Every structure is written in structure tokens, then in C-alpha cells.
Amino acid sequence: MSPVIPEIREIPAPARLSAWDLVAVGLAGLRARRGRAVLSALGVAIGIASMVAVMGISTVSGAGLQEQLARVGTNVLTVAPGHSISGDQASLPLESVARVSHIPGVVGATAIAYVKGATARRTRLIDPAITNGVGVAAVRLDVLATLKGTVKSGTFLNAATARYPVVVLGTYAADRFGIDRPGRQIYVAGRWMTVIGILDSLPLAPDIDNAALVGWPYAEAQLGFDGHPTIVYERSADDRVGAIAKVLAATADPEHPDQVQVSRPSDALTAELAARAAFNTLFVGLGAVALLVGGIGIANIMVISVLERRQEIGLRRSLGATRGQIRLQFVVEAVALSLAGGVTGTVVGVAVSLLFAFGQGWPFALPTQVVVLGVTAAVLVGIVSGLYPARRAAALTPTEALATLT
């Protein structure tokens, strides 16, 4: 007899999953546990929304402040009185505005002066001490031209009205008095005066925003104003700001230059930009912590899912699924979960940035890389969160996985 030769059988090649089938298998677990999936994605959504919103608000704020700087310029300097050697409040000379205007390179010089003892109130029935922080200031007619200010409603003072009992309100002063249009009257220094205009905000002159403005001649003739300016505003050519700043104090008050304070109002806006950047870094860090917590939550949910789905894993392994396919299934599930939260968080963050820009009246300037960063961060969190559960699921043998099958 011839020897019996055993039949050699080929080991079947492992089944292959297309990309679409892999996604379908990965999403099946999420559809089966929708409530858990929503809560897990919510943690990632909160982290991504925080980061995108903070970066968006930062960009919008920066664009708004840069727009303000571009509109009003950084070439304005202010001159204000300091204190004498004895500690008393000093005063600027009567001729300080004229002297400053003659400095080479100066293209405009103007002034305001607070009228001592004068109060502005909504009615005469209010206590004179209650002014809501609104002072009475005499102004020169060229103050808006020098500061590039605009009138929100009504008109500004001119050569004729500056000699009569009329007043122009800064934007914050009008809000505090509850006045939104000209024609109303307020009680100023013991007399009724008619509001003829309301100004838009002046970023370089917040003192004007909170003041009731009267004409310089009227203040001298009727309010006992002595003519000494409180703040002198000077605008010069951009390349002359540094040189003019060095001689401004000595020019405004040659006798007492040490009693003069010179400042650059645009520095406050620049400092605000820097302060916003510092706070934004802090909030981005908090958003990153929230994102990390969300990633840990996904990893925890995926580990629990592996324990709950041991029978499913064993059945798929026994039907030919490889370890790599099991591993990819759970990674895809974690990425889909995180991506859903990331997209939701990105949309919420962009919406918050848009509402902030609209509310402030600033241009919406959200760079596309912020949106890309939000989605990319979500995908990376999903991959990292799903690696350990996926490896744990792939390590199960069909025998181990089906051991609990009844």
C-alpha cells in the first residue's frame, strides 16, 4: 500500500475591511450607546470651545484695538500739570497751548480745562454733590479735529454757540444722564443749559468721554473760569513724536518744566493689548486642561466599552478579524467621538467670537488656523485617548473574549 499523504490546506487570508466598513463598524458602538457618547463628546466640546472662543476673542479684540490705533493715530501727546515742590497742585500757563503749537513738527494743539466749582446734573433737584462723575470742562473749538473725534448726534460747538449756554456731552456722560439725543436740558453750574450734541467715544481722551463740554469763551465770561488749561493735546508727525516729547514740558512751562507731566495716550491701548495677550494665555491653558479632562473621559469610556463588548470582540476575531482591525475599530470610535465634540466646540467658539465682535462693533477677524487647530486638537485627543483601549481590545484572544458567552 502506498502511504497516505495528508491533505494540505491553505490558511485563509484575513478578511480585509475597506475604509468605509471600518468607519461603519467604529460608529456602530457609538450609535448603540448614544447617551454615553454625547456626555463623553461634551467634555471635548467644552475644552475646544474654550480654546477657540478665547483665541477668537483675542483676535477680534486685537483687530479692534489696532483699528482704533490706526484711526486715531499714535502721534498724540498730552501735557498736564503735576505738583509743585510743596506738593500743591500746579497749573499750566495761559500761553501753553500757543507755545506748544509753535514747536516744529506739531500739526495741531488744543486743550480742555475743568471749571472749578461747576457741577453738571440731570436736574436742579439733585444734590450738587451727586454728579455721576460728570465734570464741566471748557474746550477749544479744534479739539475734535486734533483728536480725530466724531459727533454721534447733533453738532459740536462753533464760534457762535461757544458763547452761549449750550453743552456737548461725552458719550459716557450722556449715558449717565440718560440722554440719547440733543435738545434736552441739564443743570450746569446753577443754570439750565441745552444739549446740542453727543460725541462718540474718544480712545485717546477718556476725560472728554466723561465730561459736559462748554465753550471756552462762555466758561470765562459766565462760569468764573480762569483760562488755565487742564490738559493740552498735541498731534505731530509720526517721525517727530520722540523729539517733541523731549522738549514738550520745557516748552509748555519754561519756568517750571519739572511741574509738567507728558504722556502718550496710545500707550494705554498698547498696554491693553499686552494685558489681553497675558490673560488669553491663561484662558487657553484652562481650555487645554478642560480638553485633557475630556480626553481622559473618552479613554475611560472606551476602556469600559472594551470590557462590555468582549463577546463582540471574540465573535469578530473568530470570524477572521485581525488584531489590527480590532485595534483600528476602537481607535476610529474614539476619534469619531472626539471629533464630534471638537466640531461642536469649534462651532460654539466661533459663534461666541462672532457675537463678541458684533457686540463691540469690531471687525470679525478669526484666522482660519484657529478653526483648523480646534478640529486637529480634537482628532489628536481622540487618537491618544483610543490607543490604550484599542490595544487592550486587540490583545484579547477569541477564547478569552468568548469565555463569558452563555
Side-chain angles (χ1 to χ4, degrees), residues 351-391:
V352 170
S353 302
L354 183 61
L355 290 175
F356 177 78
F358 178 78
Q360 296 291 329
W362 287 346
F364 181 67
L366 182 66
T368 55
Q369 57 263 33
V370 172
V371 178
V372 174
L373 177 63
V375 177
T376 303
V379 172
L380 292 176
V381 167
I383 293 174
V384 174
S385 302
L387 282 178
Y388 173 71
R391 291 182 60 186

PDB file of all heavy atoms in Angstrom, residues 351-391:
ATOM      1  N   ALA A 351     -18.992  80.997  17.174  1.00  0.00           N
ATOM      2  CA  ALA A 351     -20.215  81.767  17.413  1.00  0.00           C
ATOM      3  C   ALA A 351     -20.018  82.781  18.536  1.00  0.00           C
ATOM      4  O   ALA A 351     -20.466  83.934  18.441  1.00  0.00           O
ATOM      5  CB  ALA A 351     -21.367  80.819  17.748  1.00  0.00           C
ATOM      6  N   VAL A 352     -19.333  82.368  19.605  1.00  0.00           N
ATOM      7  CA  VAL A 352     -19.059  83.299  20.712  1.00  0.00           C
ATOM      8  C   VAL A 352     -18.188  84.459  20.241  1.00  0.00           C
ATOM      9  O   VAL A 352     -18.444  85.626  20.582  1.00  0.00           O
ATOM     10  CB  VAL A 352     -18.381  82.544  21.880  1.00  0.00           C
ATOM     11  CG1 VAL A 352     -17.876  83.526  22.927  1.00  0.00           C
ATOM     12  CG2 VAL A 352     -19.356  81.565  22.518  1.00  0.00           C
ATOM     13  N   SER A 353     -17.180  84.158  19.439  1.00  0.00           N
ATOM     14  CA  SER A 353     -16.303  85.214  18.912  1.00  0.00           C
ATOM     15  C   SER A 353     -17.080  86.175  18.020  1.00  0.00           C
ATOM     16  O   SER A 353     -16.873  87.395  18.070  1.00  0.00           O
ATOM     17  CB  SER A 353     -15.152  84.588  18.125  1.00  0.00           C
ATOM     18  OG  SER A 353     -14.414  83.702  18.931  1.00  0.00           O
ATOM     19  N   LEU A 354     -17.978  85.630  17.207  1.00  0.00           N
ATOM     20  CA  LEU A 354     -18.780  86.462  16.318  1.00  0.00           C
ATOM     21  C   LEU A 354     -19.711  87.380  17.106  1.00  0.00           C
ATOM     22  O   LEU A 354     -19.844  88.571  16.794  1.00  0.00           O
ATOM     23  CB  LEU A 354     -19.582  85.570  15.374  1.00  0.00           C
ATOM     24  CG  LEU A 354     -20.434  86.270  14.312  1.00  0.00           C
ATOM     25  CD1 LEU A 354     -19.551  87.098  13.387  1.00  0.00           C
ATOM     26  CD2 LEU A 354     -21.227  85.248  13.497  1.00  0.00           C
ATOM     27  N   LEU A 355     -20.348  86.839  18.138  1.00  0.00           N
ATOM     28  CA  LEU A 355     -21.240  87.659  18.967  1.00  0.00           C
ATOM     29  C   LEU A 355     -20.461  88.750  19.696  1.00  0.00           C
ATOM     30  O   LEU A 355     -20.944  89.878  19.840  1.00  0.00           O
ATOM     31  CB  LEU A 355     -21.975  86.773  19.972  1.00  0.00           C
ATOM     32  CG  LEU A 355     -23.029  85.822  19.392  1.00  0.00           C
ATOM     33  CD1 LEU A 355     -23.590  84.913  20.485  1.00  0.00           C
ATOM     34  CD2 LEU A 355     -24.151  86.612  18.733  1.00  0.00           C
ATOM     35  N   PHE A 356     -19.252  88.413  20.161  1.00  0.00           N
ATOM     36  CA  PHE A 356     -18.425  89.408  20.841  1.00  0.00           C
ATOM     37  C   PHE A 356     -18.052  90.540  19.887  1.00  0.00           C
ATOM     38  O   PHE A 356     -18.128  91.721  20.252  1.00  0.00           O
ATOM     39  CB  PHE A 356     -17.163  88.742  21.379  1.00  0.00           C
ATOM     40  CG  PHE A 356     -16.206  89.685  22.049  1.00  0.00           C
ATOM     41  CD1 PHE A 356     -16.425  90.136  23.338  1.00  0.00           C
ATOM     42  CD2 PHE A 356     -15.083  90.146  21.374  1.00  0.00           C
ATOM     43  CE1 PHE A 356     -15.551  91.012  23.956  1.00  0.00           C
ATOM     44  CE2 PHE A 356     -14.202  91.024  21.978  1.00  0.00           C
ATOM     45  CZ  PHE A 356     -14.436  91.458  23.277  1.00  0.00           C
ATOM     46  N   ALA A 357     -17.646  90.189  18.673  1.00  0.00           N
ATOM     47  CA  ALA A 357     -17.289  91.217  17.687  1.00  0.00           C
ATOM     48  C   ALA A 357     -18.487  92.092  17.356  1.00  0.00           C
ATOM     49  O   ALA A 357     -18.372  93.325  17.251  1.00  0.00           O
ATOM     50  CB  ALA A 357     -16.745  90.549  16.416  1.00  0.00           C
ATOM     51  N   PHE A 358     -19.656  91.474  17.198  1.00  0.00           N
ATOM     52  CA  PHE A 358     -20.867  92.236  16.886  1.00  0.00           C
ATOM     53  C   PHE A 358     -21.239  93.165  18.031  1.00  0.00           C
ATOM     54  O   PHE A 358     -21.609  94.321  17.829  1.00  0.00           O
ATOM     55  CB  PHE A 358     -22.016  91.274  16.574  1.00  0.00           C
ATOM     56  CG  PHE A 358     -23.321  91.969  16.276  1.00  0.00           C
ATOM     57  CD1 PHE A 358     -23.545  92.558  15.043  1.00  0.00           C
ATOM     58  CD2 PHE A 358     -24.325  92.024  17.235  1.00  0.00           C
ATOM     59  CE1 PHE A 358     -24.746  93.199  14.772  1.00  0.00           C
ATOM     60  CE2 PHE A 358     -25.523  92.660  16.975  1.00  0.00           C
ATOM     61  CZ  PHE A 358     -25.743  93.253  15.733  1.00  0.00           C
ATOM     62  N   GLY A 359     -21.143  92.654  19.259  1.00  0.00           N
ATOM     63  CA  GLY A 359     -21.499  93.469  20.420  1.00  0.00           C
ATOM     64  C   GLY A 359     -20.575  94.658  20.618  1.00  0.00           C
ATOM     65  O   GLY A 359     -21.016  95.724  21.057  1.00  0.00           O
ATOM     66  N   GLN A 360     -19.286  94.485  20.298  1.00  0.00           N
ATOM     67  CA  GLN A 360     -18.326  95.572  20.462  1.00  0.00           C
ATOM     68  C   GLN A 360     -18.258  96.493  19.252  1.00  0.00           C
ATOM     69  O   GLN A 360     -17.624  97.546  19.309  1.00  0.00           O
ATOM     70  CB  GLN A 360     -16.931  94.992  20.720  1.00  0.00           C
ATOM     71  CG  GLN A 360     -16.804  94.210  22.014  1.00  0.00           C
ATOM     72  CD  GLN A 360     -16.910  95.106  23.238  1.00  0.00           C
ATOM     73  OE1 GLN A 360     -16.527  96.268  23.204  1.00  0.00           O
ATOM     74  NE2 GLN A 360     -17.439  94.556  24.329  1.00  0.00           N
ATOM     75  N   GLY A 361     -18.891  96.077  18.152  1.00  0.00           N
ATOM     76  CA  GLY A 361     -18.797  96.870  16.928  1.00  0.00           C
ATOM     77  C   GLY A 361     -17.436  96.787  16.276  1.00  0.00           C
ATOM     78  O   GLY A 361     -17.027  97.701  15.557  1.00  0.00           O
ATOM     79  N   TRP A 362     -16.727  95.689  16.507  1.00  0.00           N
ATOM     80  CA  TRP A 362     -15.392  95.494  15.948  1.00  0.00           C
ATOM     81  C   TRP A 362     -15.446  94.533  14.776  1.00  0.00           C
ATOM     82  O   TRP A 362     -16.370  93.723  14.657  1.00  0.00           O
ATOM     83  CB  TRP A 362     -14.459  94.932  17.025  1.00  0.00           C
ATOM     84  CG  TRP A 362     -14.077  95.930  18.067  1.00  0.00           C
ATOM     85  CD1 TRP A 362     -14.249  97.277  18.004  1.00  0.00           C
ATOM     86  CD2 TRP A 362     -13.470  95.669  19.336  1.00  0.00           C
ATOM     87  NE1 TRP A 362     -13.789  97.872  19.150  1.00  0.00           N
ATOM     88  CE2 TRP A 362     -13.306  96.912  19.980  1.00  0.00           C
ATOM     89  CE3 TRP A 362     -13.059  94.511  19.990  1.00  0.00           C
ATOM     90  CZ2 TRP A 362     -12.736  97.026  21.237  1.00  0.00           C
ATOM     91  CZ3 TRP A 362     -12.481  94.623  21.243  1.00  0.00           C
ATOM     92  CH2 TRP A 362     -12.328  95.869  21.859  1.00  0.00           C
ATOM     93  N   PRO A 363     -14.464  94.561  13.902  1.00  0.00           N
ATOM     94  CA  PRO A 363     -14.458  93.641  12.759  1.00  0.00           C
ATOM     95  C   PRO A 363     -14.228  92.203  13.230  1.00  0.00           C
ATOM     96  O   PRO A 363     -13.479  91.966  14.174  1.00  0.00           O
ATOM     97  CB  PRO A 363     -13.284  94.144  11.900  1.00  0.00           C
ATOM     98  CG  PRO A 363     -12.388  94.872  12.853  1.00  0.00           C
ATOM     99  CD  PRO A 363     -13.306  95.497  13.872  1.00  0.00           C
ATOM    100  N   PHE A 364     -14.897  91.273  12.537  1.00  0.00           N
ATOM    101  CA  PHE A 364     -14.712  89.862  12.871  1.00  0.00           C
ATOM    102  C   PHE A 364     -13.475  89.359  12.136  1.00  0.00           C
ATOM    103  O   PHE A 364     -13.450  89.291  10.909  1.00  0.00           O
ATOM    104  CB  PHE A 364     -15.939  89.048  12.459  1.00  0.00           C
ATOM    105  CG  PHE A 364     -15.830  87.586  12.806  1.00  0.00           C
ATOM    106  CD1 PHE A 364     -15.820  87.175  14.127  1.00  0.00           C
ATOM    107  CD2 PHE A 364     -15.727  86.633  11.809  1.00  0.00           C
ATOM    108  CE1 PHE A 364     -15.722  85.833  14.457  1.00  0.00           C
ATOM    109  CE2 PHE A 364     -15.629  85.294  12.127  1.00  0.00           C
ATOM    110  CZ  PHE A 364     -15.629  84.890  13.444  1.00  0.00           C
ATOM    111  N   ALA A 365     -12.447  89.041  12.901  1.00  0.00           N
ATOM    112  CA  ALA A 365     -11.164  88.658  12.303  1.00  0.00           C
ATOM    113  C   ALA A 365     -10.661  87.381  12.951  1.00  0.00           C
ATOM    114  O   ALA A 365      -9.722  87.398  13.732  1.00  0.00           O
ATOM    115  CB  ALA A 365     -10.138  89.785  12.480  1.00  0.00           C
ATOM    116  N   LEU A 366     -11.325  86.263  12.644  1.00  0.00           N
ATOM    117  CA  LEU A 366     -10.912  84.971  13.195  1.00  0.00           C
ATOM    118  C   LEU A 366     -10.085  84.233  12.148  1.00  0.00           C
ATOM    119  O   LEU A 366     -10.598  83.893  11.077  1.00  0.00           O
ATOM    120  CB  LEU A 366     -12.132  84.131  13.577  1.00  0.00           C
ATOM    121  CG  LEU A 366     -11.839  82.775  14.212  1.00  0.00           C
ATOM    122  CD1 LEU A 366     -11.175  82.975  15.569  1.00  0.00           C
ATOM    123  CD2 LEU A 366     -13.106  81.967  14.357  1.00  0.00           C
ATOM    124  N   PRO A 367      -8.800  84.012  12.388  1.00  0.00           N
ATOM    125  CA  PRO A 367      -7.973  83.320  11.402  1.00  0.00           C
ATOM    126  C   PRO A 367      -8.421  81.875  11.217  1.00  0.00           C
ATOM    127  O   PRO A 367      -8.865  81.222  12.166  1.00  0.00           O
ATOM    128  CB  PRO A 367      -6.560  83.397  12.006  1.00  0.00           C
ATOM    129  CG  PRO A 367      -6.772  83.602  13.464  1.00  0.00           C
ATOM    130  CD  PRO A 367      -8.056  84.368  13.595  1.00  0.00           C
ATOM    131  N   THR A 368      -8.299  81.380   9.978  1.00  0.00           N
ATOM    132  CA  THR A 368      -8.737  80.014   9.685  1.00  0.00           C
ATOM    133  C   THR A 368      -7.930  78.984  10.460  1.00  0.00           C
ATOM    134  O   THR A 368      -8.432  77.896  10.749  1.00  0.00           O
ATOM    135  CB  THR A 368      -8.610  79.735   8.183  1.00  0.00           C
ATOM    136  OG1 THR A 368      -7.253  80.002   7.768  1.00  0.00           O
ATOM    137  CG2 THR A 368      -9.547  80.631   7.390  1.00  0.00           C
ATOM    138  N   GLN A 369      -6.689  79.320  10.815  1.00  0.00           N
ATOM    139  CA  GLN A 369      -5.878  78.348  11.548  1.00  0.00           C
ATOM    140  C   GLN A 369      -6.454  78.041  12.924  1.00  0.00           C
ATOM    141  O   GLN A 369      -6.185  76.980  13.487  1.00  0.00           O
ATOM    142  CB  GLN A 369      -4.428  78.810  11.674  1.00  0.00           C
ATOM    143  CG  GLN A 369      -4.232  80.155  12.323  1.00  0.00           C
ATOM    144  CD  GLN A 369      -4.085  81.258  11.301  1.00  0.00           C
ATOM    145  OE1 GLN A 369      -4.696  81.188  10.244  1.00  0.00           O
ATOM    146  NE2 GLN A 369      -3.264  82.251  11.604  1.00  0.00           N
ATOM    147  N   VAL A 370      -7.261  78.959  13.484  1.00  0.00           N
ATOM    148  CA  VAL A 370      -7.893  78.685  14.774  1.00  0.00           C
ATOM    149  C   VAL A 370      -8.909  77.554  14.628  1.00  0.00           C
ATOM    150  O   VAL A 370      -8.987  76.645  15.463  1.00  0.00           O
ATOM    151  CB  VAL A 370      -8.567  79.963  15.314  1.00  0.00           C
ATOM    152  CG1 VAL A 370      -9.388  79.653  16.557  1.00  0.00           C
ATOM    153  CG2 VAL A 370      -7.519  81.012  15.640  1.00  0.00           C
ATOM    154  N   VAL A 371      -9.708  77.611  13.550  1.00  0.00           N
ATOM    155  CA  VAL A 371     -10.688  76.554  13.300  1.00  0.00           C
ATOM    156  C   VAL A 371      -9.979  75.233  13.034  1.00  0.00           C
ATOM    157  O   VAL A 371     -10.355  74.183  13.574  1.00  0.00           O
ATOM    158  CB  VAL A 371     -11.592  76.938  12.111  1.00  0.00           C
ATOM    159  CG1 VAL A 371     -12.575  75.812  11.809  1.00  0.00           C
ATOM    160  CG2 VAL A 371     -12.336  78.231  12.404  1.00  0.00           C
ATOM    161  N   VAL A 372      -8.935  75.284  12.196  1.00  0.00           N
ATOM    162  CA  VAL A 372      -8.179  74.071  11.894  1.00  0.00           C
ATOM    163  C   VAL A 372      -7.548  73.505  13.163  1.00  0.00           C
ATOM    164  O   VAL A 372      -7.543  72.284  13.388  1.00  0.00           O
ATOM    165  CB  VAL A 372      -7.109  74.362  10.827  1.00  0.00           C
ATOM    166  CG1 VAL A 372      -6.223  73.141  10.602  1.00  0.00           C
ATOM    167  CG2 VAL A 372      -7.763  74.791   9.519  1.00  0.00           C
ATOM    168  N   LEU A 373      -7.044  74.398  14.022  1.00  0.00           N
ATOM    169  CA  LEU A 373      -6.422  73.953  15.265  1.00  0.00           C
ATOM    170  C   LEU A 373      -7.427  73.257  16.168  1.00  0.00           C
ATOM    171  O   LEU A 373      -7.115  72.240  16.801  1.00  0.00           O
ATOM    172  CB  LEU A 373      -5.808  75.151  15.988  1.00  0.00           C
ATOM    173  CG  LEU A 373      -5.161  74.863  17.356  1.00  0.00           C
ATOM    174  CD1 LEU A 373      -3.983  73.912  17.182  1.00  0.00           C
ATOM    175  CD2 LEU A 373      -4.707  76.164  18.008  1.00  0.00           C
ATOM    176  N   GLY A 374      -8.651  73.783  16.231  1.00  0.00           N
ATOM    177  CA  GLY A 374      -9.665  73.164  17.076  1.00  0.00           C
ATOM    178  C   GLY A 374      -9.998  71.750  16.634  1.00  0.00           C
ATOM    179  O   GLY A 374     -10.050  70.825  17.445  1.00  0.00           O
ATOM    180  N   VAL A 375     -10.217  71.571  15.335  1.00  0.00           N
ATOM    181  CA  VAL A 375     -10.552  70.244  14.820  1.00  0.00           C
ATOM    182  C   VAL A 375      -9.359  69.299  14.951  1.00  0.00           C
ATOM    183  O   VAL A 375      -9.500  68.134  15.332  1.00  0.00           O
ATOM    184  CB  VAL A 375     -11.015  70.344  13.360  1.00  0.00           C
ATOM    185  CG1 VAL A 375     -11.300  68.962  12.788  1.00  0.00           C
ATOM    186  CG2 VAL A 375     -12.261  71.221  13.257  1.00  0.00           C
ATOM    187  N   THR A 376      -8.156  69.804  14.640  1.00  0.00           N
ATOM    188  CA  THR A 376      -6.960  68.964  14.731  1.00  0.00           C
ATOM    189  C   THR A 376      -6.706  68.516  16.164  1.00  0.00           C
ATOM    190  O   THR A 376      -6.358  67.349  16.415  1.00  0.00           O
ATOM    191  CB  THR A 376      -5.743  69.733  14.201  1.00  0.00           C
ATOM    192  OG1 THR A 376      -5.990  70.156  12.859  1.00  0.00           O
ATOM    193  CG2 THR A 376      -4.497  68.855  14.229  1.00  0.00           C
ATOM    194  N   ALA A 377      -6.882  69.428  17.111  1.00  0.00           N
ATOM    195  CA  ALA A 377      -6.690  69.062  18.517  1.00  0.00           C
ATOM    196  C   ALA A 377      -7.668  67.976  18.934  1.00  0.00           C
ATOM    197  O   ALA A 377      -7.309  67.049  19.675  1.00  0.00           O
ATOM    198  CB  ALA A 377      -6.863  70.302  19.399  1.00  0.00           C
ATOM    199  N   ALA A 378      -8.905  68.054  18.432  1.00  0.00           N
ATOM    200  CA  ALA A 378      -9.891  67.029  18.766  1.00  0.00           C
ATOM    201  C   ALA A 378      -9.474  65.672  18.218  1.00  0.00           C
ATOM    202  O   ALA A 378      -9.601  64.645  18.901  1.00  0.00           O
ATOM    203  CB  ALA A 378     -11.261  67.431  18.218  1.00  0.00           C
ATOM    204  N   VAL A 379      -8.985  65.639  16.976  1.00  0.00           N
ATOM    205  CA  VAL A 379      -8.561  64.374  16.376  1.00  0.00           C
ATOM    206  C   VAL A 379      -7.390  63.780  17.160  1.00  0.00           C
ATOM    207  O   VAL A 379      -7.354  62.576  17.439  1.00  0.00           O
ATOM    208  CB  VAL A 379      -8.184  64.585  14.893  1.00  0.00           C
ATOM    209  CG1 VAL A 379      -7.555  63.316  14.310  1.00  0.00           C
ATOM    210  CG2 VAL A 379      -9.415  64.982  14.089  1.00  0.00           C
ATOM    211  N   LEU A 380      -6.423  64.625  17.518  1.00  0.00           N
ATOM    212  CA  LEU A 380      -5.270  64.129  18.271  1.00  0.00           C
ATOM    213  C   LEU A 380      -5.682  63.583  19.640  1.00  0.00           C
ATOM    214  O   LEU A 380      -5.177  62.545  20.088  1.00  0.00           O
ATOM    215  CB  LEU A 380      -4.244  65.251  18.439  1.00  0.00           C
ATOM    216  CG  LEU A 380      -3.540  65.713  17.153  1.00  0.00           C
ATOM    217  CD1 LEU A 380      -2.617  66.888  17.434  1.00  0.00           C
ATOM    218  CD2 LEU A 380      -2.752  64.567  16.533  1.00  0.00           C
ATOM    219  N   VAL A 381      -6.608  64.269  20.296  1.00  0.00           N
ATOM    220  CA  VAL A 381      -7.104  63.783  21.581  1.00  0.00           C
ATOM    221  C   VAL A 381      -7.786  62.432  21.408  1.00  0.00           C
ATOM    222  O   VAL A 381      -7.613  61.514  22.225  1.00  0.00           O
ATOM    223  CB  VAL A 381      -8.073  64.816  22.206  1.00  0.00           C
ATOM    224  CG1 VAL A 381      -8.834  64.202  23.380  1.00  0.00           C
ATOM    225  CG2 VAL A 381      -7.304  66.031  22.685  1.00  0.00           C
ATOM    226  N   GLY A 382      -8.558  62.293  20.336  1.00  0.00           N
ATOM    227  CA  GLY A 382      -9.221  61.021  20.083  1.00  0.00           C
ATOM    228  C   GLY A 382      -8.233  59.896  19.842  1.00  0.00           C
ATOM    229  O   GLY A 382      -8.404  58.775  20.362  1.00  0.00           O
ATOM    230  N   ILE A 383      -7.181  60.173  19.070  1.00  0.00           N
ATOM    231  CA  ILE A 383      -6.184  59.135  18.792  1.00  0.00           C
ATOM    232  C   ILE A 383      -5.474  58.719  20.078  1.00  0.00           C
ATOM    233  O   ILE A 383      -5.339  57.525  20.380  1.00  0.00           O
ATOM    234  CB  ILE A 383      -5.175  59.635  17.739  1.00  0.00           C
ATOM    235  CG1 ILE A 383      -5.874  59.824  16.391  1.00  0.00           C
ATOM    236  CG2 ILE A 383      -4.012  58.657  17.594  1.00  0.00           C
ATOM    237  CD1 ILE A 383      -4.987  60.444  15.333  1.00  0.00           C
ATOM    238  N   VAL A 384      -5.009  59.702  20.832  1.00  0.00           N
ATOM    239  CA  VAL A 384      -4.287  59.392  22.063  1.00  0.00           C
ATOM    240  C   VAL A 384      -5.191  58.673  23.066  1.00  0.00           C
ATOM    241  O   VAL A 384      -4.781  57.704  23.725  1.00  0.00           O
ATOM    242  CB  VAL A 384      -3.719  60.683  22.680  1.00  0.00           C
ATOM    243  CG1 VAL A 384      -3.092  60.402  24.039  1.00  0.00           C
ATOM    244  CG2 VAL A 384      -2.689  61.301  21.740  1.00  0.00           C
ATOM    245  N   SER A 385      -6.451  59.128  23.165  1.00  0.00           N
ATOM    246  CA  SER A 385      -7.373  58.519  24.123  1.00  0.00           C
ATOM    247  C   SER A 385      -7.753  57.100  23.734  1.00  0.00           C
ATOM    248  O   SER A 385      -8.077  56.280  24.595  1.00  0.00           O
ATOM    249  CB  SER A 385      -8.644  59.376  24.240  1.00  0.00           C
ATOM    250  OG  SER A 385      -8.327  60.690  24.643  1.00  0.00           O
ATOM    251  N   GLY A 386      -7.744  56.804  22.442  1.00  0.00           N
ATOM    252  CA  GLY A 386      -8.181  55.493  21.990  1.00  0.00           C
ATOM    253  C   GLY A 386      -7.089  54.461  21.875  1.00  0.00           C
ATOM    254  O   GLY A 386      -7.381  53.269  21.691  1.00  0.00           O
ATOM    255  N   LEU A 387      -5.823  54.862  21.986  1.00  0.00           N
ATOM    256  CA  LEU A 387      -4.728  53.910  21.771  1.00  0.00           C
ATOM    257  C   LEU A 387      -4.726  52.794  22.814  1.00  0.00           C
ATOM    258  O   LEU A 387      -4.660  51.602  22.472  1.00  0.00           O
ATOM    259  CB  LEU A 387      -3.382  54.649  21.784  1.00  0.00           C
ATOM    260  CG  LEU A 387      -3.040  55.419  20.498  1.00  0.00           C
ATOM    261  CD1 LEU A 387      -1.714  56.150  20.656  1.00  0.00           C
ATOM    262  CD2 LEU A 387      -2.978  54.473  19.310  1.00  0.00           C
ATOM    263  N   TYR A 388      -4.786  53.131  24.082  1.00  0.00           N
ATOM    264  CA  TYR A 388      -4.719  52.105  25.120  1.00  0.00           C
ATOM    265  C   TYR A 388      -5.936  51.173  25.070  1.00  0.00           C
ATOM    266  O   TYR A 388      -5.772  49.934  25.081  1.00  0.00           O
ATOM    267  CB  TYR A 388      -4.598  52.748  26.500  1.00  0.00           C
ATOM    268  CG  TYR A 388      -4.702  51.747  27.624  1.00  0.00           C
ATOM    269  CD1 TYR A 388      -3.674  50.840  27.868  1.00  0.00           C
ATOM    270  CD2 TYR A 388      -5.840  51.710  28.433  1.00  0.00           C
ATOM    271  CE1 TYR A 388      -3.774  49.907  28.895  1.00  0.00           C
ATOM    272  CE2 TYR A 388      -5.948  50.789  29.459  1.00  0.00           C
ATOM    273  CZ  TYR A 388      -4.912  49.888  29.683  1.00  0.00           C
ATOM    274  OH  TYR A 388      -5.018  48.966  30.689  1.00  0.00           O
ATOM    275  N   PRO A 389      -7.177  51.709  25.024  1.00  0.00           N
ATOM    276  CA  PRO A 389      -8.320  50.782  24.913  1.00  0.00           C
ATOM    277  C   PRO A 389      -8.246  49.907  23.664  1.00  0.00           C
ATOM    278  O   PRO A 389      -8.627  48.731  23.705  1.00  0.00           O
ATOM    279  CB  PRO A 389      -9.530  51.718  24.877  1.00  0.00           C
ATOM    280  CG  PRO A 389      -9.064  52.978  25.522  1.00  0.00           C
ATOM    281  CD  PRO A 389      -7.630  53.101  25.153  1.00  0.00           C
ATOM    282  N   ALA A 390      -7.760  50.479  22.554  1.00  0.00           N
ATOM    283  CA  ALA A 390      -7.677  49.701  21.320  1.00  0.00           C
ATOM    284  C   ALA A 390      -6.667  48.563  21.456  1.00  0.00           C
ATOM    285  O   ALA A 390      -6.914  47.430  21.010  1.00  0.00           O
ATOM    286  CB  ALA A 390      -7.293  50.617  20.156  1.00  0.00           C
ATOM    287  N   ARG A 391      -5.519  48.862  22.065  1.00  0.00           N
ATOM    288  CA  ARG A 391      -4.519  47.803  22.265  1.00  0.00           C
ATOM    289  C   ARG A 391      -5.055  46.733  23.207  1.00  0.00           C
ATOM    290  O   ARG A 391      -4.800  45.534  23.016  1.00  0.00           O
ATOM    291  CB  ARG A 391      -3.246  48.418  22.832  1.00  0.00           C
ATOM    292  CG  ARG A 391      -2.486  49.307  21.862  1.00  0.00           C
ATOM    293  CD  ARG A 391      -1.221  49.836  22.496  1.00  0.00           C
ATOM    294  NE  ARG A 391      -0.334  48.723  22.903  1.00  0.00           N
ATOM    295  CZ  ARG A 391       0.789  48.909  23.584  1.00  0.00           C
ATOM    296  NH1 ARG A 391       1.152  50.134  23.943  1.00  0.00           N
ATOM    297  NH2 ARG A 391       1.546  47.876  23.919  1.00  0.00           N
TER     298      ARG A 391
END
